[in-house]
Amino acid sequence: MSSSTERVLVVGSGGREHAIVDGLIRTHPTLEVFVYPGNPGMWQLAQRIRPEDNSIGALVRASVEKGIGLVVVGPEAYLDQGIVDAFTAAGIPCFGPTKAAARLETSKSWAKQVMRLAGVPTAEYREFSDPGEIRSYISSLGRRVAVKADGLAAGKGVLVTDNPVEAAEFAELYLSSPGSKVIVEEALSGKELSLFALVNGDMVVPFSHAQDYKPAYDGDKGPNTGGMGAICPADSPSALTEELTEEIITPIARQMKTMGVPFCGVIFAGLMLTEDGPYVLEFNARFGDPEAQVMIPRLDADLYELIQCIVSGQELSTPLAFKRLFACGVTIASEGYPVSRAEPEPITIGNLPEGTYLYHAGTSIDNNGKLIATGGRVFTAVGLGHNLDDARDKAYSLASRVSFKGAWYRRDIGSNWIDLAWRRRAESNR
Ligand code: AMP
Ligand code: GLY
């Protein structure tokens, strides 16, 4: 499979896609990697594809001209636009689900149906299209619930509350367009875990698990974000990854194949580890951000070969291997995130300490060729270490060398790792 003419396109412009590009090149150095649209960090490693406009059709045409042989799609928004269907129709294999299969992420209502058919544990729920009905339902329930927009909402479409008025107001934000729905489900409690498997039809390869820190501020306070940091333990993938994949992801992959909607790409289960076992909060149809930034630097196998095997439905040619190192990733955000957008600010970056990776997201190059922060999540600072403290120290040492006006980050990423005794407790409770 190796030749110097293998050309891969990575689609997206976040820290996750920067980590994917970095991982592809690190583990398969002869690869020619192209990016669209990319970010300044990715442009240092890979060539840019510049289609005539920003439609998917133009991107496909430009990719055919460049002789791209494989496409890896990062963000869910492109999946929802049918990017995989368009590349496949042009004869270019894609690592990612079709628009129909991406409904596992893009429609929470559809995902709930698949989970019910597959017998995968998830919270009891009801669908609503009228905020008034939500108010009376929650008043009668008298319990905490999670109110969820049915479609994509960049990690911000969920409110957990026991206040019927607040729930109805939140639901109203997502019920303005005709046919829109919200889901109200029972609130679960426990620790959250992100679980990843590589999938093609009913072929399921457990990849890794990681822990995301979603709330904006220290101590899990403040509004939910796309993710303020993540950790990946040195023993992942472990028996825990395998057991959870078998219990949660394999039945979903089989069910989707049976329904005539086979999935190709990454199935990411957002789990709540409750005292009664794992429950699915949501599925995503792609790698997590910032979870990819802590999983991919640990990878000790050829990422390109791995993706090629999955896309072509072949047995893995090399075993999936990871370095036995902990990884900790800290999101460096701009002022106001996730509530408001900051003005562009110039960035200075000191030397990168050994064992660290700086992945770009909200960065750009200004008219004078200088690196600027453009708002939102700007970087993920990642440290790899022999234990969690070592990995954290490296990540924070790197974060302290990045400066721009208004830059901030959580100080407590990696201060708690999920108590794995949870599994034993849950099993004895069943
Ligand atoms: P989701 O987009 O469905 O993963 O939800 C985003 C976040 O909302 C999750 O990471 C949880 O913190 C929270 N959440 C979602 N569903 C529930 C639930 N049923 N019970 C408690 N918290 C939830
Ligand atoms: N970090 C969660 C996500 O990527 O959806």
Side-chain angles (χ1 to χ4, degrees):
M1 230 183 252
S2 316
S3 93
S4 59
T5 56
E6 294 153 330
R7 295 188 159 191
V8 178
L9 168 66
V10 177
V11 178
S13 61
R16 165 183 50 208
E17 291 76 33
H18 190 174
I20 293 171
V21 168
D22 191 40
L24 284 167
I25 293 170
R26 178 175 60 77
T27 64
H28 195 115
T30 56
L31 205 59
E32 275 193 83
V33 181
F34 291 76
V35 295
Y36 174 81
N39 62 39
M42 295 162 77
W43 301 332
Q44 282 178 355
L45 301 173
Q47 302 175 56
R48 295 172 75 171
I49 286 219
R50 297 172 190 269
E52 63 211 16
D53 57 51
N54 57 16
S55 66
I56 287 181
L59 178 60
V60 172
R61 283 193 296 280
S63 305
V64 170
E65 272 165 31
K66 285 276 184 220
I68 299 294
L70 176 71
V71 181
V72 180
V73 184
E76 61 277 18
Y78 289 104
L79 300 171
D80 194 30
Q81 287 168 40
I83 193 169
V84 172
D85 311 62
F87 273 109
T88 309
I92 304 182
C94 248
F95 182 62
T98 59
K99 182 178 168 68
R103 275 181 299 163
L104 191 61
E105 170 164 6
T106 61
S107 167
K108 289 194 190 282
S109 155
W110 193 76
K112 283 283 195 189
Q113 289 171 40
V114 179
M115 282 186 259
R116 196 163 46 196
L117 290 167
V120 164
T122 186
E124 291 298 324
Y125 73 104
R126 276 182 57 179
E127 290 179 8
F128 293 89
S129 50
D130 176 67
E133 281 177 23
I134 293 181
R135 204 168 37 238
S136 13
Y137 175 66
I138 299 175
S139 303
S140 67
L141 215 58
R143 271 192 275 129
R144 264 159 62 81
V145 292
V147 185
K148 304 187 171 189
D150 184 39
L152 291 179
K156 293 162 201 146
V158 178
L159 176 74
V160 181
T161 181
D162 58 4
N163 180 328
V165 176
E166 197 182 51
E169 277 171 8
F170 179 80
E172 235 165 306
L173 299 174
Y174 297 99
L175 288 174
S176 48
S177 52
S180 52
K181 282 186 281 199
V182 300
I183 280 178
V184 177
E185 70 179 30
E186 161 199 15
L188 301 168
S189 49
K191 297 274 188 202
E192 288 185 42
L193 187 79
S194 303
L195 174 72
F196 299 85
L198 312 181
V199 175
N200 188 350
D202 53 10
M203 169 181 180
V204 177
V205 177
F207 185 75
S208 182
H209 59 265
Q211 186 177 342
D212 185 17
Y213 290 73
K214 286 200 171 100
Y217 312 129
D218 286 10
D220 283 343
K221 302 279 188 317
N224 257 358
T225 68
M228 292 304 296
I231 52 178
C232 184
D235 67 349
S236 177
S238 60
L240 181 73
T241 323
E242 284 176 20
E243 279 173 38
L244 290 174
T245 300
E246 186 59 32
E247 197 168 332
I248 305 285
I249 297 183
T250 303
I252 293 293
R254 289 200 184 122
Q255 181 61 39
M256 288 182 73
K257 191 176 175 199
T258 307
M259 292 164 80
V261 198
F263 189 100
C264 177
V266 178
I267 294 188
F268 159 8
L271 301 178
M272 185 73 93
L273 304 181
T274 76
E275 294 290 324
D276 300 323
Y279 277 69
V280 177
L281 297 180
E282 66 165 350
F283 279 112
N284 296 307
R286 47 159 178 94
F287 277 123
D289 185 338
E291 289 95 329
Q293 293 92 304
V294 290
M295 296 189 300
I296 292 178
R298 291 188 53 243
L299 193 65
D300 210 3
D302 185 323
L303 182 57
Y304 173 71
E305 300 275 346
L306 190 62
I307 293 176
Q308 281 285 27
C309 288
I310 300 290
V311 166
S312 56
Q314 291 164 18
E315 291 274 298
L316 298 191
S317 49
T318 46
L320 186 52
F322 287 85
K323 296 175 193 154
R324 288 194 66 81
L325 294 172
F326 250 99
C328 175
V330 175
T331 302
I332 306 175
S334 60
E335 196 171 352
Y337 177 77
V339 179
S340 59
R341 188 114 198 142
E343 291 298 312
E345 294 293 345
I347 301 173
T348 55
I349 303 176
N351 289 338
L352 268 53
E354 207 177 309
T356 65
Y357 300 76
L358 185 64
Y359 294 123
H360 289 231
T363 64
S364 188
I365 306 286
D366 72 7
N367 292 338
N368 303 316
K370 295 267 186 305
L371 187 67
I372 52 167
T374 54
R377 294 190 291 177
V378 181
F379 293 101
T380 316
V382 177
L384 255 51
H386 290 286
N387 53 46
L388 182 52
D389 285 344
D390 186 16
R392 290 188 65 202
D393 289 349
K394 286 194 176 129
Y396 278 107
S397 160
L398 173 59
S400 71
R401 294 169 203 222
V402 175
S403 54
F404 57 92
K405 189 164 163 260
W408 65 278
Y409 43 85
R410 276 182 66 159
R411 306 280 165 165
D412 62 347
I413 304 301
S415 56
N416 59 330
W417 171 234
I418 288 169
D419 174 17
L420 292 183
W422 159 82
R423 184 87 195 165
R424 286 191 292 280
R425 275 203 308 277
E427 269 160 13
S428 63
N429 282 353
R430 275 188 205 173

